[in-house]
């Protein structure tokens, strides 16, 4: 049982690193490609997809940002 928990935590940590590595940071529209708009969109996605212990929220936040046009 203890080994399963350790493996699960390791997998969650690895998923988090991969997800954070591909987080969108630029917008093709020059009018929206600024820190203020980025923070607003990121905050909206964070509110839409709150943190969960399994780490799935990271992938959903990335998808949310991509839907808003961030790459």
């Amino acid at each position: 049982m203890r080994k399963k928990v350790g493996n699960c935590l390791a997998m969650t940590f690895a998923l988090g690193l991969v997800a954070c590595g591909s987080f969108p940071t630029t917008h093709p529209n020059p009018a929206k490609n600024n820190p203020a708009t980025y923070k607003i969109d990121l905050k909206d996605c964070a509110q839409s997809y709150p943190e969960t212990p399994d780490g799935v929220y990271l992938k959903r936040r990335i998808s949310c940002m991509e839907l808003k046009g961030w790459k």
Side-chain angles (χ1 to χ4, degrees), residues 16-51:
L17 287 177
V18 170
C20 290
S22 62
F23 216 83
T25 57
T26 58
H27 201 287
N29 182 347
K32 291 186 175 185
N33 194 19
N34 60 60
T37 304
Y38 182 80
K39 285 180 184 179
I40 291 169
D41 287 346
L42 185 60
K43 185 177 180 181
D44 182 47
C45 291
Q47 287 177 344
S48 297
Y49 300 102
E51 271 190 50

Side-chain angles (χ1 to χ4, degrees), residues 41-70:
D41 287 346
L42 185 60
K43 185 177 180 181
D44 182 47
C45 291
Q47 287 177 344
S48 297
Y49 300 102
E51 271 190 50
T52 57
D54 59 4
V56 175
Y57 71 96
L58 291 172
K59 188 167 180 132
R60 290 181 178 158
R61 286 182 187 178
I62 290 170
S63 296
C64 177
M65 291 295 283
E66 289 172 347
L67 283 174
K68 292 178 179 287
W70 292 92

